[in-house]
Amino acid sequence: MIDRAGAKALSWMALHPGDDAEAHARRLSEVHTAVVGSASSRERSAALASPAAVRPVVRDSWLRSLGRAIDPDVIEQPLLLTGKDLEDYRAGHPMAMIRPVVRKLLVEDAADSGLLIAISDERGRLLWIEGDHDARDRALAMNFAEGADWSEEHVGTNAPGTALTLDRCVQIFGAEHYNRAVHEWSCSAAPVHDPISGRILGALDITGGPRVAAPEVLQLVRATAAAAEAELRLSMLEGASAQSSAACMLETFGPGRATLVRGRDRLALSQRHAEILLILSEHPEGVGARRLAVLLDENELDAVTVRAEISRLRRVLGPDTIASRPYRVQSALRTDVANVRAALDRGDLDTAVRLYTGRVLPGSGAPGVIDVGDELDAGIRGALLRRGAAPLLARWTASIHGREDLPAWSAYLGCLDPDSTVFAQVEAKIRILDRNFAT
């Protein structure tokens, strides 16, 4: 007898021993048509009323996909990463370290098998796809390609995207996929974590025919993810000393205190120290004391106060961190601002919106910080209004940046099906904003 925990574990599997795969596929196709193809929320609810209609993990993902107004018939990739941009991005990504393990455990046996092995980043962008050449060519028809965004937010229900959304191993069988173009495929995926911090680094995915939905395939991809994490732990331990002395990360977004991340250490900074570090990171050539004073305070601090703050900051970070005449950061320093700006520069608007989780040092009144925040906000907003798709505009208008952004809400409305419930909700929000701005 299977207990509650066992039943929950089985729900992550698409097929169980003894299941009739063909009959199951036909029934799923009927349910998909009734739910995803219906324009009525009442009809959708009726189709999903039976517990046997579809697995909870799939039902919930379909509802998330419908709520984002994702097209179930088209998979477009306007932000496809290609060429040198893709090469540079994946060469610097930590998932590159696990490729030898994945190739040995999965790829070497996938040739001429009809199977594809994919490695994605933490946001669902496909970094590498290897395996059967014919299957790879067929997968291009649905834009399952290196550099493509296969997050659940962009494509809808699919194994790598849903595994990242839920942080769980998951299988998706045939018509369980939200998009109809993927119904001839099945896939099993598992997230891969940083073995030290626990954060998600990416996902491993096996894609192919119905046999990919067998329980043993889910076990295989889960075991490969565990082996990959063990390899990462070994690599990180061997390189820990080099990493700790290399680059630091300054995190400035959101309402909390700014944080400096050095290796596994997280150091909360005072507002003034965060302002100084951010401004210096924006001026790698260095900033003189008088200029720094102006960038820190519109009333202009005196040079003595600036020197005192720099001295305190050196006591916190180390005496060799900041050089003088002019003031400049001597060690490698990366910022969340630079990460968002880099994503915009390479045309990866999805990543830019994901990373931009809050205003830059929102409590700061420093002119130099305000300028950085305004420039970043304008860059993302301008890109969204020029070429933002419905999922990105949905995320932006739900964020603190876009809640009151009337042009963004109007652009979002223009991407939606007038018959959808989301269209009516967005239209109502626009009326409220119009009324508020008029008063």
Side-chain angles (χ1 to χ4, degrees):
M1 181 176 179
I2 298 174
D3 60 14
R4 182 178 299 178
K8 186 175 182 181
L10 284 175
S11 73
W12 303 106
M13 297 179 187
L15 293 174
H16 302 152
D19 282 351
D20 184 333
E22 291 186 6
H24 189 48
R26 288 193 297 270
R27 185 175 58 79
L28 280 173
S29 183
E30 294 171 357
V31 176
H32 184 280
T33 300
V35 176
V36 177
S38 173
S40 164
S41 58
R42 180 177 298 176
E43 292 175 0
R44 290 172 186 161
S45 298
L48 291 170
S50 170
V54 69
R55 291 182 292 151
V57 63
V58 175
R59 178 199 62 214
D60 294 345
S61 179
W62 282 0
L63 293 176
R64 288 194 296 271
S65 302
L66 287 163
R68 294 177 179 126
I70 299 173
D71 192 329
D73 295 304
V74 178
I75 300 178
E76 296 180 340
Q77 293 291 340
L79 301 178
L80 180 70
L81 206 57
T82 60
K84 191 174 186 303
D85 288 337
L86 175 60
E87 291 177 10
D88 292 345
Y89 177 61
R90 61 189 184 181
H93 199 280
M95 292 293 279
M97 290 190 285
I98 72 169
R99 281 194 77 202
V101 173
V102 175
R103 290 182 65 87
K104 185 172 183 62
L105 296 179
L106 297 179
V107 176
E108 289 180 2
D109 297 326
D112 302 322
S113 66
L115 300 180
L116 296 176
I117 311 302
I119 299 176
S120 83
D121 72 1
E122 68 277 18
R123 292 176 292 275
R125 187 174 296 278
L126 302 178
L127 302 179
W128 293 276
I129 301 174
E130 299 182 87
D132 186 276
H133 292 292
D134 291 339
R136 189 169 179 175
D137 290 341
R138 288 192 296 112
L140 288 175
M142 59 179 183
N143 281 323
F144 192 80
E146 293 179 342
D149 178 0
W150 270 70
S151 64
E152 189 185 82
E153 293 176 339
H154 185 71
V155 177
T157 310
N158 71 94
T162 302
L164 291 170
T165 296
L166 302 178
D167 192 11
R168 291 294 303 262
C169 304
V170 67
Q171 288 179 310
I172 300 296
F173 172 64
E176 288 182 332
H177 288 94
Y178 178 78
N179 193 287
R180 294 183 179 90
V182 200
H183 283 189
E184 66 175 284
W185 301 85
S186 295
C187 42
S188 296
V192 176
H193 302 87
D194 182 311
I196 296 175
S197 69
R199 70 184 179 92
I200 297 176
L201 297 177
L204 301 180
D205 170 69
I206 301 177
T207 291
R211 64 194 179 100
V212 175
E216 55 267 25
V217 178
L218 187 62
Q219 295 165 6
L220 174 61
V221 76
R222 181 188 290 120
T224 304
E229 290 172 358
E231 179 68 18
L232 281 170
R233 177 178 292 278
L234 180 61
S235 298
M236 290 177 175
L237 289 175
E238 289 175 346
S241 59
Q243 290 179 5
S244 63
S245 61
C248 297
M249 167 61 75
L250 177 63
E251 298 177 348
T252 67
F253 296 151
R257 293 180 68 181
T259 302
L260 186 70
V261 181
R262 294 189 292 191
R264 284 179 284 176
D265 297 327
R266 298 180 62 86
L267 177 65
L269 300 173
S270 70
Q271 183 84 331
R272 181 63 83 196
H273 287 169
E275 291 168 346
I276 291 172
L277 277 181
L278 179 62
I279 290 171
L280 293 182
S281 74
E282 293 287 303
H283 298 83
E285 74 283 1
V287 182
R290 289 186 178 180
R291 176 61 178 158
L292 183 56
V294 172
L295 292 171
L296 287 171
D297 194 320
E298 61 182 4
N299 296 318
E300 191 171 342
L301 302 174
D302 57 66
V304 173
T305 302
V306 171
R307 284 196 293 271
E309 289 292 353
I310 293 290
S311 178
R312 295 187 189 99
L313 184 54
R314 284 180 178 136
R315 287 199 294 271
V316 172
L317 303 182
D320 300 325
T321 305
I322 299 176
S324 299
R325 298 181 183 178
Y327 293 124
R328 61 194 183 280
V329 178
Q330 295 197 109
S331 58
L333 177 65
R334 188 75 176 170
T335 68
D336 48 10
V337 171
N339 286 346
V340 171
R341 193 178 287 133
L344 285 174
D345 289 344
R346 65 175 182 265
D348 190 353
L349 185 55
D350 179 70
T351 296
V353 173
R354 286 176 186 267
L355 294 179
Y356 192 31
T357 55
R359 178 76 183 182
V360 179
L361 297 178
S364 175
V369 172
I370 292 173
D371 288 345
V372 170
D374 288 346
E375 175 261 329
L376 199 63
D377 194 81
I380 294 180
R381 185 173 179 274
L384 277 169
L385 293 179
R386 286 193 304 273
R387 52 188 173 86
L392 288 176
L393 287 163
R395 192 183 310 139
W396 177 259
T397 51
S399 72
I400 60 171
H401 314 287
R403 290 172 189 162
E404 309 298 320
D405 189 343
L406 182 55
W409 280 102
S410 299
Y412 182 23
L413 187 70
C415 297
L416 299 174
D417 180 352
D419 294 328
S420 69
T421 56
V422 179
F423 184 93
Q425 294 167 3
V426 173
E427 197 173 39
K429 176 66 175 182
I430 290 173
R431 287 196 296 269
I432 293 171
L433 291 175
D434 273 333
R435 186 168 63 246
N436 290 344
F437 288 150
T439 57

